[in-house]
Amino acid sequence: MEFKKFKAATVQTSPVFLNVPATVEKAIRFIKEAHENGATLIAFPEVFIAGYPYWNWVMTPVQGSAWYEQLYRNSAMIDDAEMHPLYQAARDFNMHIVIGINERGTSFGEIYNTNLIINNQGEIIGKHRKLVPTWAEKLTWTSGDGSSLKVYDTEVGTLGTLACGENTNTLARFTLLSQGELVHIANYISLPVAPPDYDMAEAIKIRAAAHSFEGKLFTIVSCSTISQEIKEALRADVPNIDALLDRKSSAFSGFIGPNGAVMGTPLIDDEGIVYAEIDLAKCIQPKQMHDILGHYNRFDIFNLRVNVAPTRKITFVEGTENE
């Protein structure tokens, strides 16, 4: 049996706020740097293209409504011409990419928090839409469905991904594990507006470690940061924006091994890119003790049912039941 060995990269940075082409260009610069350092997989933050709706947390819904329209106008569809350079970069630099985008739907009130999975041929092999927007995010994003709870076979191994808070969803995580996931990409945003006693960076690490330890796999975490540009954009509506969005220990990016331990030195708050050598054979031995997909479970007792049918907005039926 062949278990892949490869070098992976994860990015902690901010987007060019509400600017799709400029953020794509920024992503490509990181992809080129990762390629030059020998990586063949790179992870980017949640909704990196092109920004997180922080206004949901620091403004009233009425104030934030105008910002929703800006986000909709600056969201992206997968086939948009502005996205094509990203796919070309995957080909040019032999890079597998997992990246978050605000995906524009077909309705003017429809934006999805979506992770794209792009292979090293520049092909979009999958997309995952966040199942449940978290707390204030419900003012912006439409919920995804079970059709995107998939694991993808690639040249670097089997990849799965969840966005931010849904990495807390035990059933969603188990659904990916059950499909043979060996590399999990968990992407996040910096959230300084959490309760005062909530350490966001530590919470991200705990969730990543839990998934790696339970599933005996590698977790790659990518988290965004809040740039001065983002704060200045919101300042007119929220004069005390610095007090709300400046807080230490709000971002964590790095790697967790199959034993649940952090690999190398992660990034806490600082922008940058970090690397790790991944050897998927290291997923084998830990399962001798706890294999929740095999000997360490009781499927005669537990039965998880997952609806993987895409959501249908309407069903047209010809005729009537009486005919």
Side-chain angles (χ1 to χ4, degrees):
M1 298 179 66
E2 181 186 6
F3 288 85
K4 307 290 187 180
K5 293 182 179 181
F6 62 96
K7 190 173 186 178
T10 188
V11 175
Q12 184 159 283
T13 192
S14 60
V16 181
F17 195 47
L18 301 184
N19 188 323
V20 172
T23 302
V24 168
E25 289 179 10
K26 185 172 184 176
I28 292 172
R29 292 196 294 271
F30 277 105
I31 292 166
K32 182 176 184 292
E33 178 181 342
H35 168 76
E36 291 170 348
N37 284 285
T40 52
L41 169 65
I42 189 169
F44 286 95
E46 179 183 21
V47 290
F48 185 62
I49 302 174
Y52 180 81
Y54 282 106
W55 51 87
N56 287 346
W57 300 91
V58 298
M59 300 180 194
T60 68
V62 173
Q63 281 180 297
S65 181
W67 284 98
Y68 175 87
E69 180 174 343
Q70 286 198 52
L71 182 65
Y72 184 84
R73 290 177 178 273
N74 291 281
S75 55
M77 285 186 165
I78 290 173
D79 292 333
D80 285 354
E82 295 172 328
M83 295 291 293
H84 289 180
L86 182 68
Y87 313 145
Q88 183 64 48
R91 290 192 293 271
D92 292 344
F93 299 112
N94 187 36
M95 193 69 65
H96 299 81
I97 303 167
V98 178
I99 189 168
I101 71 168
N102 286 285
E103 182 193 3
R104 186 171 67 255
T106 54
S107 165
F108 298 143
E110 190 179 19
I111 307 174
Y112 295 96
N113 178 332
T114 298
N115 282 344
L116 297 184
I117 304 96
I118 306 163
N119 69 12
N120 59 341
Q121 302 302 312
E123 300 164 337
I124 301 169
I125 59 174
K127 67 178 182 180
H128 171 67
R129 289 173 168 174
K130 191 172 185 177
L131 298 176
V132 181
T134 304
W135 201 349
E137 294 172 357
K138 293 180 175 68
L139 291 168
T140 292
W141 290 318
T142 300
S143 295
D145 57 45
S147 66
S148 70
L149 278 175
K150 294 181 179 179
V151 168
Y152 302 93
D153 192 17
T154 73
E155 289 185 13
V156 295
T158 47
L159 304 180
T161 182
L162 294 172
C164 200
E166 62 182 353
N167 286 283
T168 309
N169 189 324
T170 305
L171 302 184
R173 295 192 294 105
F174 189 85
T175 300
L176 298 182
L177 293 175
S178 70
Q179 297 173 68
E181 183 186 45
L182 291 179
V183 181
H184 180 76
I185 290 84
N187 55 6
Y188 289 82
I189 49 86
S190 175
L191 192 63
V193 294
D197 59 348
Y198 188 82
D199 186 323
M200 182 68 176
E202 183 67 13
I204 292 172
K205 184 181 75 172
I206 289 170
R207 280 179 273 194
H211 189 58
S212 279
F213 186 82
E214 290 173 3
K216 314 306 181 192
L217 79 169
F218 290 88
T219 296
I220 303 173
V221 180
S222 175
C223 187
S224 64
T225 58
I226 300 174
S227 64
Q228 190 65 31
E229 176 199 23
I230 293 172
K231 291 189 294 182
E232 292 304 328
L234 302 175
R235 191 177 302 279
D237 290 312
V238 187
N240 65 331
I241 194 67
D242 298 295
L244 295 170
L245 296 188
D246 285 346
R247 180 172 164 182
K248 291 183 178 180
S249 200
S250 292
F252 173 100
S253 295
F255 299 85
I256 311 289
N259 61 354
V262 175
M263 301 169 61
T265 303
L267 290 169
I268 306 294
D269 295 335
D270 295 331
E271 294 205 351
I273 183 169
V274 290
Y275 300 90
E277 298 288 345
I278 306 294
D279 179 0
L280 296 185
K282 293 186 181 297
C283 298
I284 302 172
Q285 192 280 331
K287 287 207 171 196
Q288 185 175 6
M289 182 174 292
H290 304 124
D291 182 6
I292 61 173
L293 301 171
H295 66 79
Y296 210 71
N297 218 323
R298 289 290 304 275
F299 296 111
D300 57 326
I301 299 174
F302 305 113
N303 180 20
L304 175 61
R305 178 181 178 272
V306 182
N307 180 7
V308 297
T311 298
R312 298 182 65 175
K313 297 180 179 179
I314 189 169
T315 300
F316 292 99
V317 179
E318 293 185 4
T320 67
E321 293 182 358
N322 296 325
E323 291 181 346

